[in-house]
Amino acid sequence: MHPSAAVEADLGWALGAVFRGYVRAAERVLAGVPGGPRGYQVLTSAVLGEARSQQTLAHRLGMDKTVMTYLIDDLERAGLVERRPDPADRRARLLSATEHGGERYAEVVEALRRVEDEVLAPLAARERATLRELLRKLATNAPADSVCVEPDATC
């Protein structure tokens, strides 16, 4: 099968091709963030105030809590985040971005916007908006582990 025929016939092939192009370009941007893409996810959560506790964040991002601890250590050493005791639970730590972390986050977001522009260059503005909306809908409504792949199974 010719690659363009595969892209047209197979959702996985098409998604994979777009994803690989995005990841290659995004990795260059995220190389300066401790932990790369995972570090960026943690920094994003800290900047947006979504990182209440390390344990909750690890669960939400699908990371082992030990890995999360080391990742936060690296981000903290880089001056991007800080841990503070949780006044409601002295055993827990709250994660927040430092001023430098907020500035670095803004730089990375801008660079990732340029990556998106590069990847989505073949699409008109309206097509980009439609694609984003459809991807958002899929990403927020269909957990991968709930998809039934057996033809005769009752899922």
Side-chain angles (χ1 to χ4, degrees):
M1 183 183 308
H2 187 272
S4 64
V7 167
E8 291 176 21
D10 188 317
L11 175 65
W13 189 301
L15 289 172
V18 173
F19 178 73
R20 284 187 300 277
Y22 177 81
V23 166
R24 276 192 303 272
E27 282 177 343
R28 291 189 302 266
V29 170
L30 297 174
V33 176
R38 284 185 159 185
Y40 171 69
Q41 288 178 319
V42 172
L43 179 59
T44 298
S45 295
V47 167
L48 299 179
E50 298 173 350
R52 290 295 302 158
S53 74
Q54 290 179 212
Q55 185 173 356
T56 301
L57 185 57
H59 179 72
R60 197 177 87 218
L61 296 177
M63 281 187 225
D64 177 81
K65 63 183 180 180
T66 303
V67 172
M68 176 63 75
T69 299
Y70 288 123
L71 181 54
I72 293 173
D73 287 346
D74 291 344
L75 291 165
E76 196 169 36
R77 272 192 293 278
L80 302 174
V81 300
E82 60 187 5
R83 296 175 175 112
R84 291 175 285 116
D86 183 344
D89 180 358
R90 64 187 177 106
R91 296 168 296 162
R93 296 282 196 213
L94 301 178
L95 187 66
S96 61
T98 62
E99 184 177 337
H100 174 61
E103 292 166 357
R104 183 69 182 116
Y105 169 77
E107 294 167 1
V108 171
V109 166
E110 179 57 35
L112 288 174
R113 292 280 180 243
R114 290 190 300 273
V115 167
E116 288 178 19
D117 286 342
E118 179 183 320
V119 170
L120 300 177
L123 302 178
R126 186 175 179 95
E127 291 172 316
R128 290 179 188 203
T130 299
L131 177 63
R132 287 177 197 280
E133 175 59 21
L134 293 172
L135 288 172
R136 184 205 55 78
K137 188 180 287 187
L138 289 172
T140 58
N141 290 301
D145 61 352
S146 71
V147 176
C148 183
V149 293
E150 297 299 321
D152 298 327
T154 55
C155 299

